[in-house]
Amino acid sequence: MQSKPQLTIKEITQILSAARAEADKNQWAVAIALVDDGGHLLGLLRLDNCAPISAYIATEKARAAALGRRETKQYEDMINGGRTAFLSAPLAGTLEGGVPVIVDGHVVGAVGVSGVKPGEDAQTAKAGTLSIA
């Protein structure tokens, strides 16, 4: 039987806090979602002045990154590169800003961020994932 690491409340809090610190440092009104490796929501922050839809989008970006085990920017690049058939894939968060959380080579979850420019969303998400590296 195989075993793998799992996120605990300690890491969940650490990841969300680090992502929030990055958003606060840059004065970005974003939503930050953290999911487990199955795409199930573990935590969600919607910062002041962030549009309500960003909470939905951040969660879907996190789910897509966790289930696909890759950054969602790869999906966006694939679609923008002409592979439009991928739009029919059963993933709603195929925009940049979803980043997997990897521990000892295992995807244990993902962070999704929405509310600012795509690269800024990704920067915020990565700040969260790097906090436990």
Side-chain angles (χ1 to χ4, degrees):
M1 180 175 294
Q2 295 182 0
S3 62
K4 66 176 185 174
Q6 290 184 319
L7 295 172
T8 66
I9 192 67
K10 177 184 173 190
E11 291 87 23
I12 293 165
T13 303
Q14 192 173 337
I15 290 167
L16 290 172
S17 294
R20 180 181 179 177
E22 183 69 18
D24 287 346
K25 177 180 82 174
N26 292 290
Q27 298 180 335
W28 292 334
V30 296
I32 304 162
L34 175 62
V35 300
D36 66 13
D37 60 337
H40 305 284
L41 190 62
L42 298 173
L44 175 67
L45 298 173
R46 183 165 60 98
L47 304 184
D48 293 344
N49 300 313
C50 179
I53 192 143
S54 291
Y56 173 80
I57 295 169
T59 302
E60 292 304 317
K61 286 179 180 183
R63 279 192 181 110
L67 295 173
R69 299 180 176 177
R70 68 188 68 193
E71 288 194 36
T72 54
K73 182 178 184 340
Q74 292 179 13
Y75 296 124
E76 184 174 5
D77 290 347
M78 187 185 328
I79 293 163
N80 289 341
R83 190 165 177 209
T84 56
F86 195 79
L87 289 169
S88 64
L91 295 172
T94 55
L95 301 170
E96 184 175 2
V99 179
V101 178
I102 301 171
V103 176
D104 297 332
H106 297 277
V107 174
V108 296
V111 179
V113 176
S114 179
V116 286
K117 296 176 183 175
E120 295 166 348
D121 286 346
Q123 178 181 330
T124 306
K126 287 176 185 174
T129 65
L130 294 175
S131 71
I132 64 164

